[in-house]
Amino acid sequence: MGTRCDIYIENNDGTHIGAQCLFDGYPEHILKELEYCDYKMLKDYIVLAGSRGGFRLFYPTKGETEFAGGLPHYIYNPHSKNNDADYVYVVDKSNKINWKKRNAQSWKIQWHRKQQ
């Protein structure tokens, strides 16, 4: 069984859109991948992943992102406890990565370094 995570981006109106990633969702991997993406790139990945059932693997640094291949499925609430993700990541409008273990009470924050 892989380490699952939910990856969200905050929209301009304060709502969220996201997709689940089925494998390699641990912080040591996903934070590096999120830091690689700028806001538009990450939003495009999420929209595409949601249309294909989510991410199987999220590897934009290597150009090797794989999609789950299921029915379209998007997620909208990073505070939901109604799924099986191990970690939750939210990139907000100020390009901060907020993340936590699913059952943690507080968020950890890491500045999102956009690639130029």
Side-chain angles (χ1 to χ4, degrees):
M1 192 67 161
T3 303
R4 294 176 183 236
C5 72
D6 293 343
I7 302 172
Y8 292 89
I9 195 159
E10 183 180 20
N11 293 310
N12 289 333
D13 64 0
T15 61
H16 298 88
I17 187 169
Q20 189 171 80
C21 183
L22 302 178
F23 297 99
D24 295 343
Y26 50 90
E28 295 81 7
H29 168 71
I30 292 293
L31 290 173
K32 176 181 69 169
E33 300 302 319
L34 291 175
E35 288 173 348
Y36 177 81
C37 298
D38 64 19
Y39 184 91
K40 182 182 180 330
M41 177 190 283
L42 182 57
K43 189 166 190 171
D44 289 348
Y45 266 118
I46 288 172
V47 169
L48 184 57
S51 74
R52 296 182 180 182
F55 296 103
R56 184 174 179 280
L57 297 168
F58 185 63
Y59 277 92
T61 58
K62 295 182 178 181
E64 297 177 3
T65 294
E66 297 177 17
F67 301 101
L71 294 173
H73 179 73
Y74 294 95
I75 50 180
Y76 300 99
N77 183 359
H79 306 290
S80 173
K81 298 196 186 308
N82 294 330
N83 73 36
D84 58 357
D86 299 295
Y87 293 93
V88 180
Y89 302 91
V90 179
V91 177
D92 68 19
K93 293 181 293 188
S94 64
N95 284 321
K96 285 187 296 188
I97 302 169
N98 303 280
W99 66 278
K100 68 177 184 172
K101 285 193 86 144
R102 167 68 62 198
N103 56 0
Q105 297 298 319
S106 60
W107 293 85
K108 298 179 184 191
I109 298 173
Q110 178 163 330
W111 284 103
H112 183 188
R113 294 184 294 266
K114 296 189 298 184
Q115 295 293 310
Q116 301 299 340

